[in-house]
Amino acid sequence: MSDTAPTDGSSARPAAIPASIDRTEDRPVYVIGGGPGGLAAAAALRTQGVRVVVLEKAPRVGASWRGHYDRLHLHTTRRWSALPGLAMPRKFGRWVSRDDVVRYLEKYAAFHELEVITGVEVSRVDRAPGGAGWVLSATGGRVLTGRAVVVATGFNHTPYMPDWPGREAWAGELVHAAGYRNPAPYEGRSVLVAGIGNTGAEIAVDLVEGGASTVRIAVRTVPHIVRRSTAGWPAQATGILVRRLPVWLVDRAGALMARAAVPDLAAQGLPRPTTGLYSRVKDGAIPVQDVGLIDAVRAGRVRPVAAIASFDGADVVLTDGTRLTPDAVIAATGYRRALEGLVGHLGVLDGRGRPVVHGARSPREAPGLYFTGFSNPISGMFREMARDAVKIAHRIARAPR
């Protein structure tokens, strides 16, 4: 790409807007979503001389990152998390914090002089009459026509709360992890965290360190746990190296590495998984990167228990029949992509509501429609969104108008 920046990102100046960009172009490329995936795609398109408009429903870019819990850091390195054309500053450290990610996204949009329109939510995408281009229906009765569309509304779009029997009548506090910010409201209280993905594991540790009296974590499927870094070697680097190797080979290597790096926690209620690490990744479940969970479980400060089956009066009933009476339950139960209303009528989603293709490939049924940021790769989401952005931009720039 022609846009460049020094390694610390401190004194960079944006490259001039290519002379071929026509700001009056009435059929620009529309990018839906002003998060990292959308901004990366817009910057890459701009560098190709394509007019691109980012539509973001929130008042500012990076809305989902602004809403994450306080202690969150990227589990991928600063170096491999930068978006096209602008490095992350060295002062952010190796593992970039939530607030610094937001600062970076704000600077990224300004640096690339992106055309971002906030406060506009796109509700539906349709083929334009005659099949040339796309029509977007948006808030305020807006009807926008573009030559191509990049959907970047995010992997973590809509919080998913399981429909546990009895949950509506339960007297305790029940909140999705999307509403969790820090442990202060839970000091001295008993908390059950439902879900042991990266979010649940990190919130459990946060609660322990923040003074919760008892912290349990409900486990439906035992996760693979990896060290975020071993002797300076980040887990992300391993993920990049192995992502194209045979699944069985990575599964076998992962099992050997886990035995060497992660202690056996079976006595504490967290046995080793019986399925392979990469097999699980291919099914959509990435490993839990350890940011204190191993030590907390070993010390008995975070107690693994069975998954939640139902709520009954003041009790939470687990799948093994155990009854607990926590003061609060934090549901780290994931998110839904929520693409059905936007593009579901186009036949471009699979049975789980995910795009059938992503990156530089358009669905056969919808040429000119692209998706980015809807996978959770072992090599790092930011890295793959950056790579997808460049590929999408090249494809769109070379497509006939």
Side-chain angles (χ1 to χ4, degrees):
M1 297 188 62
S2 59
D3 285 356
T4 59
T7 55
D8 66 355
S10 59
S11 59
R13 293 292 183 270
I17 297 174
S20 59
I21 289 184
D22 180 1
R23 290 293 196 187
T24 65
E25 165 67 61
D26 62 353
R27 292 177 71 250
V29 174
Y30 282 106
V31 174
I32 306 174
L39 297 179
L45 282 160
R46 175 191 175 281
T47 302
Q48 291 289 323
V50 176
R51 186 191 173 201
V52 54
V53 178
V54 179
L55 303 174
E56 168 55 51
K57 69 178 182 179
R60 295 175 290 178
V61 299
S64 63
W65 273 90
R66 296 176 191 275
H68 287 316
Y69 49 92
D70 295 349
R71 74 172 280 154
L72 179 65
H73 286 66
L74 286 175
H75 290 166
T76 53
T77 66
R78 180 192 72 249
R79 174 186 174 190
W80 286 327
S81 299
L83 303 179
L86 184 67
M88 287 188 171
R90 290 185 182 275
K91 65 183 179 181
F92 285 178
R94 194 180 200 194
W95 314 106
V96 182
S97 71
R98 177 202 65 184
D99 290 347
D100 282 336
V101 169
V102 171
R103 293 185 184 99
Y104 174 73
L105 295 178
E106 290 175 335
K107 182 174 182 179
Y108 191 84
F111 175 83
H112 285 292
E113 299 180 3
L114 300 181
E115 195 173 346
V116 181
I117 302 177
T118 58
V120 175
E121 182 175 7
V122 179
S123 58
R124 185 179 170 99
V125 176
D126 289 290
R127 291 293 286 175
W134 295 92
V135 175
L136 286 66
S137 301
T139 50
R142 295 176 176 86
V143 178
L144 309 170
T145 303
R147 56 181 280 205
V149 174
V150 181
V151 179
T153 49
F155 190 83
N156 295 335
H157 185 276
T158 301
Y160 168 69
M161 181 76 78
D163 188 19
W164 289 302
R167 75 172 196 186
E168 298 296 336
W170 189 57
E173 177 185 346
L174 173 62
V175 62
H176 190 273
Y180 176 87
R181 294 295 174 268
N182 58 64
Y186 303 96
E187 184 176 359
R189 302 172 69 193
S190 171
V191 185
L192 173 62
V193 179
I196 194 170
N198 277 293
T199 296
E202 191 157 358
I203 287 176
V205 173
D206 200 33
L207 289 164
V208 165
E209 295 177 353
S213 62
T214 303
V215 178
R216 296 181 177 90
I217 190 162
V219 181
R220 181 171 299 279
T221 304
V222 179
H224 286 272
I225 303 175
V226 299
R227 301 287 188 180
R228 186 168 66 175
S229 179
T230 303
W233 179 264
Q236 183 189 9
T238 302
I240 293 170
L241 290 174
V242 307
R243 66 188 303 258
R244 300 198 182 280
L245 294 177
V247 172
W248 68 266
L249 181 60
V250 181
D251 281 349
R252 185 172 298 177
L256 294 173
M257 291 171 60
R259 291 188 180 280
V262 178
D264 186 356
L265 301 173
Q268 288 78 31
L270 206 59
R272 297 190 188 279
T274 57
T275 53
L277 183 151
Y278 207 28
S279 294
R280 292 272 289 277
V281 169
K282 290 295 186 179
D283 198 39
I286 62 170
V288 171
Q289 294 208 21
D290 178 47
V291 290
L293 180 68
I294 292 173
D295 288 344
V297 170
R298 291 181 76 181
R301 301 174 71 198
V302 171
R303 305 175 191 173
V305 297
I308 295 176
S310 64
F311 292 81
D312 183 18
D315 294 346
V316 177
V317 184
L318 307 182
T319 54
D320 63 359
T322 302
R323 287 177 172 263
L324 304 174
T325 55
D327 298 311
V329 172
I330 299 174
T333 46
Y335 296 78
R336 293 292 180 261
R337 313 295 86 81
L339 291 169
E340 289 79 5
L342 187 68
V343 296
H345 57 286
L346 298 173
V348 297
L349 304 178
D350 66 16
R352 290 197 280 179
R354 303 173 304 181
V356 292
V357 297
H358 62 89
R361 297 172 58 198
S362 281
R364 184 186 312 171
E365 303 83 355
L369 179 66
Y370 299 88
F371 295 89
T372 184
F374 293 99
S375 62
N376 203 1
I378 195 172
S379 52
M381 186 178 287
F382 271 55
R383 178 180 183 272
E384 295 308 315
M385 287 190 294
R387 292 162 64 89
D388 279 351
V390 175
K391 295 174 184 176
I392 290 170
H394 278 284
R395 181 64 61 88
I396 291 176
R398 286 154 179 74
R401 298 196 178 202

